[in-house]
Amino acid sequence: MKPLRHDLDRERAHHDSCRAALARMAEDIDDQVVTGEDTAASGADAEVLGHHLRSRAKSFREMPPGPLFFGRLDREDGQVHHIGRRRIAEHPAAPPLVVDWRAPVARAYYQAGPRDPQGVVRRRRFGWAPGSLGASEDLTALEDEHLAEGGEGAGEAPSSAILAGEIERPRVGPMRDIAATLQPEQDDLVRSGPAESICVQGAPGTGKTAVGLHRAAYLLYTHPQRFRRSGLLVLGPNRTFLSYISEVLPALGETGVRQSTVEDELARHEVRAVDGEAAARVKHDARMAEVLRRALYARVDPAPAGDLTVPDGSYRWRVPAHELAAIVADVREEAPPYATGRERVRARVVRALRLRAERRAGTLGNAWQRRIERARPVKEFVDACWPKVTPEEVLAGVLTDPDAGLPAGGLLTVGERAAIRWEKPPRSYRTARWSAADLVLLDELAGLIERPEGYGHVVVDEAQDLSPMQCRAIARRAGFGSLTVLGDLAQGTTPWAARDWREQLAHLGKPDAETVPLTTGYRVPAAVVELANRLLPELGAAAWAGRSLRAGGEVTVRQVADLAEGVAEAVRAALKEEGSVGVIAADTAVEELAALVLGDGVADGSGDRVSVVPASLAKGLEYDHVIVVEPAAIAAAEPRGLHRLYVVLTRAVSRLDLVHSEPLPPALAAPPVGAPG
């Protein structure tokens, strides 16, 4: 429906008012920062106030330019709400000119439909010029849906041309937020409660990553004190992926959220060694947790050799060996962290000495207790029965002699113990060269020795690829918080990739978390989804097949005699269309392809639109046009190569080319749906 000119003019005028109000808000916050620095308060209070004001000012400065609202609700009671990425008002007590998309009143924008209008008479969507920086004249279209007159219902395919255009807009640059296009089932997940852990099993293109990031933004908005105090962590599969999603949370008004990889979180040391496949499999196995626990507590002496005698002036206080053994046994039974257990032993030994002293000398003060705690016999006893250790020291012992501390037969087979044994042990654990898997084991030991603080909420993307031991590392960081677990079992590519969410969630410490499937895709068109779904029976994963609400899409198969020339031709053809181009190949072929594709003869000055990506780093990325080079080579490059190929195929937002000289994998060999004639 073509908008009336006066409707557009009124909405543009409202946007001008919003822009002016936002500028005043930014000025007010800057003034508050200056005022706050001069606040006459205690040092701690002034620091807290200053940090809060500076954080608000930073979020305004980092807010990317763009339209200030994307929707509007007209309600039965006459109220009108414009919906945007953050609240805008003339002053704090005034009715908002723009309502934050996370506010309760804004939920109807995503959930209302003819069957359940939720008090909404009209929902209006706004169309902005592509790449708009927020100039009011860039508002070029609007679209009204009168809910009382019929139309789409919640959960049905969107009939909005503006909504469809926003979803299908070319992918150039970092990932965008989807606040304007959230669908009802996505919105339900985003607004889950702060204490609720959820697992999203999402087929490609269903927006699971966006759901996780928007849930993080929602939690920070609805429970700011809770999550700014306890912290919120976003974990991605690699730094390329983190770079891709880095602008989503700032665009939603949230800065200061830690975005990291599991490897970076565990980086106690530089990785200077590489494990063989057999060793890596064993080290990532859940049984290693018990191996390490036994190795650590094997250092505790449960039966002290003799009595403890402590001189105290003219007196000598004695605790018999059987009482000392009982103290150690009681602390072991309580199973505190190792370092806490050591201090409990010390405290109970000192208490036993104090009871004896007070029977003879009466009540003793704290000075006496501190002196006895530092007494050499007490220190020597604690060091002997519950020695102080480091994670590195314990792990070095295990890798030097994996049989140490294990019962007969052990937890690992003879072959597994041989796989992890150091061929040439270092002179000292201080000079050891640690592998990436070793850092996971060191983190396990660090958690056994001293419980980490953790985060209030952790978003974990591509969680199907985590090993049991990596999951345990995340569980420790969310021990008192909640998780948003995102992944797709069909996209599992690591040797230890999960095949079942229930087991993976148990390793993550949330066995009762609900698993919610997202199978309706908005990013990947139907032709691409149907082609990729052909691989699912070969993958052995308990994953639901995806479906796409985007009809069409183009899939082209190019069998060529000269692979380099075939890729060059495909890139030239792709650059004639709008949007980004991703050339994805087996890792070993990427360097040669990059030299070919990014040269002037092929990219022809459009290199900023073209990326050459190794298949191992394609997960989570998306391109308007994807060129998959030699699919059979990708499938053959690793044990779970077909899973990797499934990931690669589903990076395409509009068009997909398969360029090959070798035969295609059998599941893809038939003519694909949607191939141009």
Side-chain angles (χ1 to χ4, degrees):
M1 167 178 155
K2 186 175 181 180
L4 296 174
R5 181 70 192 183
H6 65 269
D7 284 339
L8 272 177
D9 288 342
R10 281 199 298 266
E11 297 293 4
R12 287 169 177 163
H14 183 72
H15 193 265
D16 286 335
S17 300
C18 295
R19 180 66 66 192
L22 182 64
R24 286 191 292 272
M25 290 171 66
E27 291 172 1
D28 289 345
I29 290 172
D30 287 338
D31 290 343
Q32 290 169 18
V33 171
V34 174
T35 303
E37 290 175 349
D38 298 329
T39 298
S42 71
D45 290 343
E47 179 66 25
V48 171
L49 175 62
H51 176 75
H52 172 69
L53 293 175
R54 288 191 298 272
S55 296
R56 287 194 64 200
K58 183 174 184 287
S59 72
F60 267 80
R61 286 195 302 271
E62 294 185 359
M63 182 178 178
L68 300 180
F69 54 77
F70 51 77
R72 168 177 152 170
L73 290 176
D74 293 17
R75 303 187 63 88
E76 292 175 347
D77 58 9
Q79 293 188 62
V80 174
H81 303 296
H82 284 75
I83 313 299
R85 289 168 177 81
R86 67 163 59 204
R87 183 183 189 274
I88 300 174
E90 294 285 356
H91 58 79
L97 298 172
V98 177
V99 174
D100 193 298
W101 66 276
R102 296 165 287 187
V105 73
R107 187 170 194 188
Y109 182 76
Y110 303 106
Q111 296 285 347
R115 292 193 294 270
D116 181 17
Q118 300 184 20
V120 176
V121 176
R122 177 173 65 179
R123 172 166 47 211
R124 171 171 284 180
R125 294 186 172 92
F126 297 102
W128 294 84
S132 171
L133 299 180
S136 296
E137 57 268 24
D138 290 342
L139 176 56
T140 58
L142 57 84
E143 194 175 67
D144 287 342
E145 180 186 1
H146 298 276
L147 300 187
E149 300 174 6
E152 76 205 50
E156 296 176 2
S159 58
S160 162
I162 289 178
L163 181 59
E166 176 64 22
I167 291 173
E168 297 176 16
R169 184 152 54 96
R171 265 61 174 174
V172 178
M175 181 180 180
R176 305 189 303 264
D177 71 84
I178 60 168
T181 62
L182 275 173
Q183 296 302 295
E185 68 275 17
Q186 296 172 326
D187 183 67
D188 287 337
L189 294 169
V190 166
R191 297 176 193 266
S192 301
E196 186 178 353
S197 291
I198 59 172
C199 174
V200 181
Q201 160 58 41
T206 54
K208 55 185 176 294
T209 297
V211 163
L213 294 172
H214 285 66
R215 187 184 186 202
Y218 175 78
L219 291 175
L220 289 165
Y221 173 84
T222 53
H223 303 276
Q225 299 304 318
R226 173 175 180 170
F227 288 106
R228 289 195 170 90
R229 182 176 61 252
S230 60
L232 195 149
L233 173 66
V234 176
L235 289 174
N238 52 60
R239 292 180 184 176
T240 301
F241 177 81
L242 292 177
S243 176
Y244 178 61
I245 68 170
S246 62
E247 294 188 12
V248 173
L249 287 172
L252 298 173
E254 301 299 343
T255 59
V257 176
R258 180 166 174 77
Q259 299 187 39
S260 183
T261 66
V262 176
E263 290 76 13
D264 286 342
E265 288 298 295
L266 308 184
R268 292 173 63 95
H269 301 279
E270 180 184 356
V271 174
R272 299 175 60 202
V274 178
D275 286 312
E277 183 179 341
R281 282 181 177 274
V282 177
K283 290 178 180 181
H284 281 282
D285 192 286
R287 292 171 295 163
M288 285 301 298
E290 179 62 14
V291 170
L292 297 177
R293 190 193 69 80
R294 293 184 185 182
L296 175 62
Y297 283 94
R299 295 168 180 265
V300 174
D301 184 355
D307 300 347
L308 171 65
T309 302
V310 181
D312 179 22
S314 59
Y315 298 106
R316 295 172 67 85
W317 312 120
R318 183 178 64 85
V319 182
H322 70 84
E323 188 173 339
L324 296 172
I327 288 173
V328 174
D330 287 346
V331 173
R332 283 291 304 269
E333 183 69 23
E334 293 164 9
Y338 184 91
T340 302
R342 174 180 160 88
E343 294 312 310
R344 284 185 187 177
V345 168
R346 186 195 308 275
R348 292 179 190 183
V349 167
V350 171
R351 184 171 63 187
L353 292 165
R354 183 169 187 154
L355 289 173
R356 286 163 171 77
E358 289 185 336
R359 281 198 293 267
R360 180 178 291 270
T363 303
L364 299 168
N366 291 335
W368 180 92
Q369 178 158 325
R370 288 193 295 270
R371 178 164 53 82
I372 295 300
E373 286 173 346
R374 295 194 298 268
R376 177 177 292 180
V378 172
K379 182 178 183 301
E380 290 176 347
F381 168 75
V382 173
D383 286 343
C385 80
W386 203 293
K388 190 173 184 178
V389 296
T390 66
E392 289 79 1
E393 183 180 358
V394 178
L395 182 57
V398 170
L399 300 181
T400 299
D401 182 5
D403 296 312
L406 299 180
L411 291 166
L412 307 177
T413 67
V414 172
E416 289 171 331
R417 295 199 293 274
I420 65 172
R421 182 180 286 112
W422 272 335
E423 293 182 8
K424 185 179 180 181
R427 293 181 181 180
S428 164
Y429 69 86
R430 293 183 177 86
T431 61
R433 297 165 60 89
W434 304 109
S435 69
D438 291 336
L439 299 188
V440 181
L441 302 183
L442 288 172
D443 192 79
E444 177 76 22
L445 282 163
L448 289 170
I449 293 171
E450 195 164 359
R451 184 175 292 121
E453 284 189 18
Y455 293 84
H457 190 80
V458 181
V459 178
V460 190
D461 208 347
E462 303 297 349
Q464 77 283 345
D465 276 335
L466 297 170
S467 73
M469 294 301 289
Q470 289 173 318
C471 287
R472 290 177 61 87
I474 294 169
R476 285 188 290 278
R477 286 156 175 79
F480 300 103
S482 52
L483 286 175
T484 299
V485 180
L486 311 167
D488 179 8
L489 296 176
Q491 296 187 56
T493 53
T494 58
W496 38 77
R499 298 179 182 274
D500 174 78
W501 281 121
R502 188 55 48 205
E503 182 179 354
Q504 194 79 332
L505 289 169
H507 291 312
L508 286 164
K510 308 294 181 185
D512 299 324
E514 180 184 8
T515 299
V516 181
L518 284 181
T519 57
T520 302
Y522 306 94
R523 170 175 61 81
V524 184
V528 175
V529 170
E530 290 165 10
L531 177 68
N533 281 348
R534 297 182 186 183
L535 292 175
L536 286 177
E538 310 293 327
L539 304 183
W544 291 269
R547 69 183 186 93
S548 178
L549 288 183
R550 292 182 55 202
E554 294 181 16
V555 176
T556 304
V557 178
R558 301 171 186 262
Q559 184 169 10
V560 296
D562 186 325
L563 191 64
E565 182 55 38
V567 171
E569 181 183 346
V571 171
R572 292 189 191 102
L575 287 173
K576 294 177 182 178
E577 305 289 343
E578 189 179 12
S580 57
V581 180
V583 180
I584 308 178
D587 291 26
T588 55
V590 165
E591 186 175 348
E592 183 178 347
L593 278 174
L596 166 72
V597 169
L598 300 179
D600 290 338
V602 177
D604 196 23
S606 302
D608 57 331
R609 289 175 53 199
V610 183
S611 300
V612 180
V613 183
S616 62
L617 295 182
K619 193 169 292 182
L621 305 180
E622 56 185 28
Y623 302 94
D624 293 286
H625 193 128
V626 168
I627 299 167
V628 181
V629 181
E630 209 64 272
I634 295 174
E638 55 188 305
R640 295 175 70 89
L642 280 178
H643 294 76
R644 183 78 68 190
L645 181 57
Y646 178 79
V647 172
V648 168
L649 295 176
T650 53
R651 300 308 92 202
V653 174
S654 297
R655 299 172 299 279
L656 174 67
D657 275 6
L658 306 184
V659 182
H660 69 104
S661 59
E662 300 177 14
L664 290 172
L668 303 182
V673 177

